[in-house]
Amino acid sequence: MTDPTVSASGIRVLGREALALLLSATCPGCDEPGTLLCDPCRGRLQASPVDVRTPQGRVVRAALTYEGVAARCIRRMKDDGETLLARPLGVALAVVLSSFAGSAVSVVPVPTSGEAFRRRGYRVPELLIRRAGVRPLRALSAARARRDQRGLDASARARNAEGSVRARLRGAGVSVVLVDDVITTGATLDEASLVLDRAGFDVVAAVALAATPLHGGHGAFTRDSSETRRK
């Protein structure tokens, strides 16, 4: 039988630790102290979907534009381990997922590299899918290490993504939605889609939590301004 005194003591310790965490926290959106995410910044994470296009012409629907509060929250989640931010971000992802996912459609995350998983201890796309209220299907895995995509242009990203993903499962015609956290050029989503197609899956859609804005007209995808809007 559990000792009620020990249990109460343990609860008090957890409470003090949670309070200490909260008091040391700052909002990633505006640096307000004493909060993991303030209400105004939480409001700026409401989905504002945009449609972007990959180099191979696949349309990808993103819940947010990767700038401002959204970009700072995503970086805090990915680089600083603040996984509690996956919950409000997952709410935004759920909005775009709901357009495609259903009982007959599985949701496949873009795989995380082994190095990134060892560094973080979690897989970002998979975590976001779970926080969106959906069970992910891990049909893909990383096939090899690749260079950091940051700083690479569209053609270099495409070469870097080639051969970086492999199928863990056979599809047999199963319909899937492919999910990534951030889309820049879309090279990774193109490679993952190709691998899923070859494995027998039917990729009915691709979505992302956020899409980076175009820079100087050199982006590898276009926005459909007639159907989407930016925050």
Side-chain angles (χ1 to χ4, degrees), residues 144 146-147 149 152-164 187 191:
R144 61 167 177 80
R146 63 180 185 177
R147 292 171 58 193
Q149 296 274 65
L152 301 181
D153 62 20
S155 59
R157 282 173 177 263
R159 291 192 300 272
N160 196 37
E162 187 174 352
S164 64
E191 181 68 13

Side-chain angles (χ1 to χ4, degrees), residues 161-224:
E162 187 174 352
S164 64
V165 178
R166 64 186 173 199
R168 301 177 68 245
L169 305 171
R170 302 302 299 178
V174 172
S175 297
V176 298
V177 175
L178 186 60
V179 178
D180 204 355
D181 52 357
V182 177
I183 175 173
T184 303
T185 64
T188 301
L189 283 168
D190 274 341
E191 181 68 13
S193 296
L194 177 63
V195 170
L196 286 172
D197 287 340
R198 289 174 175 172
F201 290 92
D202 178 19
V203 182
V204 298
V207 306
L209 170 63
T212 58
L214 298 179
H215 296 286
H218 298 295
F221 50 73
T222 59
R223 295 176 185 272
D224 185 349

Side-chain angles (χ1 to χ4, degrees), residues 76-203:
R76 184 79 67 88
M77 176 190 64
K78 294 181 67 171
D79 299 338
D80 298 334
E82 291 201 12
T83 55
L84 289 175
L85 290 170
R87 191 165 298 281
L89 292 170
V91 171
L93 179 63
V95 172
V96 292
L97 266 180
S98 64
S99 301
F100 308 106
S103 59
V105 179
S106 296
V107 177
V108 175
V110 167
T112 299
S113 70
E115 189 277 332
F117 178 69
R118 287 189 293 273
R119 184 175 70 251
R120 296 189 183 111
Y122 52 93
R123 300 175 176 89
V124 174
E126 187 172 328
L127 174 64
L128 289 167
I129 292 169
R130 293 186 185 279
R131 294 299 179 265
V134 179
R135 182 176 180 179
L137 174 66
R138 291 182 60 199
L140 298 171
S141 63
R144 61 167 177 80
R146 63 180 185 177
R147 292 171 58 193
D148 190 326
Q149 296 274 65
R150 288 173 292 188
L152 301 181
D153 62 20
S155 59
R157 282 173 177 263
R159 291 192 300 272
N160 196 37
E162 187 174 352
S164 64
V165 178
R166 64 186 173 199
R168 301 177 68 245
L169 305 171
R170 302 302 299 178
V174 172
S175 297
V176 298
V177 175
L178 186 60
V179 178
D180 204 355
D181 52 357
V182 177
I183 175 173
T184 303
T185 64
T188 301
L189 283 168
D190 274 341
E191 181 68 13
S193 296
L194 177 63
V195 170
L196 286 172
D197 287 340
R198 289 174 175 172
F201 290 92
D202 178 19
V203 182

Side-chain angles (χ1 to χ4, degrees), residues 18-125:
L19 180 60
L21 174 63
L22 181 62
L23 291 175
S24 65
T26 59
C27 174
C30 64
D31 293 326
E32 179 182 336
T35 179
L36 294 172
L37 183 64
C38 72
D39 289 341
C41 288
R42 186 182 296 272
R44 294 187 177 95
L45 295 182
Q46 292 183 6
S48 181
V50 293
D51 286 350
V52 297
R53 196 174 295 273
T54 71
Q56 296 300 316
R58 178 176 291 279
V59 175
V60 180
R61 180 156 295 177
L64 303 164
T65 301
Y66 188 76
E67 59 187 6
V69 172
R72 291 193 290 272
C73 287
I74 292 170
R75 286 195 295 268
R76 184 79 67 88
M77 176 190 64
K78 294 181 67 171
D79 299 338
D80 298 334
E82 291 201 12
T83 55
L84 289 175
L85 290 170
R87 191 165 298 281
L89 292 170
V91 171
L93 179 63
V95 172
V96 292
L97 266 180
S98 64
S99 301
F100 308 106
S103 59
V105 179
S106 296
V107 177
V108 175
V110 167
T112 299
S113 70
E115 189 277 332
F117 178 69
R118 287 189 293 273
R119 184 175 70 251
R120 296 189 183 111
Y122 52 93
R123 300 175 176 89
V124 174

